[in-house]
């Protein structure tokens, strides 16, 4: 996402930590040595006993990726605690793979042998690293045309600069210069502690410092008279009943879709913390009293799309499609994709709030914060967006190892609305535009987006 700081790396890796983008598991196949190729994602999976090995492939390379261990007949666990579930079929040579931290599924097809490149060592020289880097983007990145970037021209310009004596620092600079024009917050280059990443021009990345500053500002200005306010989920969620002109309205601030439990906790623990918060907030009595709900996503670093869908299920009494998800699925044709998979919102059991909602967004609404925003667009019951456009990155991210030990991160998916459009690059626009946490807003103790949302929910705007 954004700059060459540790904060930028954390933003770039949000989806990695909570929803692995490269698969590490395969179907419950008879015997050992089963091999599977994933539709899209440039991934081959090898099952050998209870160990699952990922191979990251391009047309010129094959490098080992992550591994996973079997935990049940159809489940596998990754090192970061994600659970993968595999469902065989249709037929003996097909299967689907799903992650508990993500939404949608990935199709697997049985193959007879590993690609030839997987059976021999990959050279570690700078030119080979360059070729793997270039092909990783050329074969997977969906947005070159939308970004106005000629990736072939990038190769022609930069590959002659790479030779046997090119240093790691020089190569890191070349890679950074190549992806800089993308201005894609789901793209990063990493070499140890050195990171290049950036956000869309005119926006800033989420950070703990910014989140703390904004939370204090909102608490002192917008929530100072709230008769009820409570933090949940390790401080990542705040709820308040509003007072004054906003009496009868609720305020729900979500700073991320993850981090609800201590580091290292598996996804079900985070989900349990979320449910604990929602059960406390969305009581039968409160739902009956609420005349409107403000959901504040203006500082949201993303996380798990599945947690966002889980919240959306508490905000409807009718099932609907949140969005459809597809991945680029051809190494040379960026217009070929996997079949779009509808991601559905199914009403949760128990109390649900189904009244009007105002969603506050900004350029610091990132990744899963954006997919959750998108999941509310067609929500029955009425939803209005207030503030600024979101960052414009939705895909799970692919983590690609390079033969020299560097790493690159990139997206390969699209989240489509009901007309088949993606909001990547531009972000999701607000219905009502207001400044968000500008220097002037802070200096004059104003929160224009919040105040506009209050008026809208009171039908005064």
């Amino acid at each position: 996402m954004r700059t060459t700081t540790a904060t930028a790396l954390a933003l770039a890796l949000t989806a990695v930590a909570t929803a692995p983008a490269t698969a590490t598991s395969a179907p419950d196949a008879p015997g050992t040595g089963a091999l599977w190729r994933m539709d899209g994602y440039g991934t081959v999976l090898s099952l050998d006993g209870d160990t699952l090995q990922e191979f990251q492939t391009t047309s010129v390379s094959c490098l080992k990726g992550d591994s996973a261990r079997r935990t049940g007949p159809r489940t596998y666990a990754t090192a970061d605690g994600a659970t993968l579930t595999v469902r065989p079929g249709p037929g003996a040579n097909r299967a689907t793979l799903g992650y508990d931290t993500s939404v949608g599924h990935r199709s697997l097809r049985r193959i007879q042998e590993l690609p030839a490149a997987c059976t021999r060592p990959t050279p570690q020289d700078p030119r080979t690293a360059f070729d793997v880097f270039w092909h990783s983007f050329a074969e997977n990145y969906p947005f070159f045309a939308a970004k106005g970037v000629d990736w072939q021209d990038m190769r022609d310009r930069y590959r002659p600069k790479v030779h046997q004596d090119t240093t790691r620092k020089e190569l890191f600079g070349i890679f950074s210069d190549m992806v800089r024009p993308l201005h894609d917050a789901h793209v990063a280059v990493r070499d140890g502690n050195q990171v290049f990443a950036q956000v869309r021009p005119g926006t800033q990345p989420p950070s703990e410092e910014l989140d703390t500053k904004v939370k204090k500002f909102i608490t002192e200005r917008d929530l100072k008279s709230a008769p009820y306010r409570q933090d949940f989920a390790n401080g990542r969620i705040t709820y308040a009943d509003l007072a004054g002109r906003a009496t009868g309205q609720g305020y729900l601030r979500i700073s991320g879709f993850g981090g609800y439990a201590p580091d290292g906790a598996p996804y079900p623990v985070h989900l349990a913390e979320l449910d604990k918060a929602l059960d406390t907030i969305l009581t039968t009595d409160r739902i009956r009293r609420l005349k409107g709900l403000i959901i504040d996503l203006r500082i949201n670093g993303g996380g798990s799309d599945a947690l966002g869908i889980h919240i959306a299920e508490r905000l409807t009494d009718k099932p609907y499609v949140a969005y459809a998800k597809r991945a680029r699925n051809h190494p040379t044709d960026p217009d070929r994709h996997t079949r779009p998979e509808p991601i559905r919102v199914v009403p949760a059991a128990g109390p649900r709030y189904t009244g009007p909602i105002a969603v506050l967004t900004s350029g610091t609404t990132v990744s899963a914060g954006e997919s959750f925003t998108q999941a509310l667009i067609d929500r029955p019951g009425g939803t209005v967006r207030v503030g600024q456009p979101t960052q414009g990155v939705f895909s799970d991210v692919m983590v690609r190892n390079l033969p020299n030990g560097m790493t690159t991160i990139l997206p390969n998916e699209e989240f489509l609305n009901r007309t088949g459009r993606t909001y990547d690059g531009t972000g999701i626009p607000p219905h009502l535009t207001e400044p968000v946490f500008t220097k002037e807003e802070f200096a004059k103790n104003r929160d224009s987006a919040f105040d506009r949302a209050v008026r809208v929910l009171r039908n005064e705007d």
Side-chain angles (χ1 to χ4, degrees), residues 188-461:
V189 181
R190 180 176 62 187
D191 186 15
N193 293 326
Q194 188 177 17
V195 178
F196 173 82
Q198 59 185 349
V199 289
R200 176 164 54 82
T203 67
Q204 59 181 322
S207 68
E208 185 175 347
E209 179 183 7
L210 179 60
D211 186 56
T212 300
K213 177 182 178 180
V214 166
K215 186 174 182 178
K216 182 175 185 293
F217 176 78
I218 289 172
T219 300
E220 294 177 352
R221 183 198 183 276
D222 303 328
L223 309 183
K224 62 181 179 181
S225 301
Y228 172 87
R229 181 177 67 84
Q230 186 172 346
D231 290 339
F232 302 91
N234 204 23
R236 305 282 276 173
I237 296 174
T238 297
Y239 177 80
D241 290 324
L242 300 180
R245 291 181 59 80
T247 297
Q249 297 179 20
Y251 172 84
L252 178 64
R253 181 174 185 266
I254 306 172
S255 63
F257 292 92
Y260 298 162
D263 291 344
Y267 174 79
V269 177
H270 295 268
L271 182 61
E273 288 298 316
L274 175 59
D275 274 331
K276 189 184 304 182
L278 295 176
D279 289 343
T280 304
I281 295 167
L282 298 178
T283 63
T284 301
D285 180 63
R286 177 170 284 115
I287 288 172
R288 185 167 51 246
R289 290 186 282 108
L290 278 182
K291 300 175 182 177
L293 178 64
I294 298 172
I295 300 180
D296 193 346
L297 306 174
R298 287 175 292 179
I299 310 297
N300 188 295
S304 167
D305 295 322
L307 291 176
I309 292 295
H310 195 73
I311 296 174
E313 292 174 343
R314 298 286 192 113
L315 303 174
T316 182
D317 58 358
K318 299 177 182 178
Y320 68 97
V321 175
Y323 42 76
K325 184 176 179 179
R326 70 182 184 183
R328 182 174 163 181
N329 196 27
H330 194 275
T332 60
D333 186 351
D335 293 324
R336 290 176 60 177
H337 304 86
T338 58
R339 178 179 299 177
E341 178 180 4
I343 306 302
R344 303 183 184 279
V345 177
V346 179
R352 302 181 299 273
Y353 173 75
T354 59
I357 288 176
V359 179
L360 309 184
T361 65
S362 77
T364 317
T365 307
V366 180
S367 195
E370 300 184 80
S371 66
F372 176 62
T373 302
Q374 187 170 355
L376 299 181
I377 288 177
D378 292 324
R379 166 190 172 269
T383 301
V384 61
R385 300 184 301 278
V386 183
Q388 293 289 311
T390 64
Q391 176 63 216
V393 290
F394 296 79
S395 174
D396 293 351
V397 296
M398 303 174 70
V399 180
R400 287 287 152 170
N401 300 328
L402 302 180
N404 64 348
M406 292 183 182
T407 304
T408 189
I409 300 164
L410 68 152
N412 71 319
E413 300 170 337
E414 295 178 345
F415 283 48
L416 307 176
N417 64 15
R418 59 182 173 179
T419 64
R421 175 188 174 189
T422 174
Y423 297 104
D424 280 276
T426 61
I428 299 174
H431 295 106
L432 304 172
T433 299
E434 294 288 348
V436 173
F437 304 134
T438 62
K439 290 181 179 179
E440 183 180 12
E441 291 271 292
F442 282 126
K444 296 186 176 181
N445 195 37
R446 290 196 315 223
D447 191 350
S448 299
F450 176 90
D451 292 346
R452 187 78 179 273
V454 169
R455 295 198 303 271
V456 167
L457 293 176
R458 286 176 56 86
N459 294 317
E460 295 177 353
D461 199 328

Side-chain angles (χ1 to χ4, degrees), residues 1 32 56 157 167 183 186 207 319 337 373 449:
M1 308 179 137
T32 61
Q56 302 172 355
R157 288 168 53 193
T167 67
H183 295 291
H186 269 177
S207 68
H337 304 86
T373 302

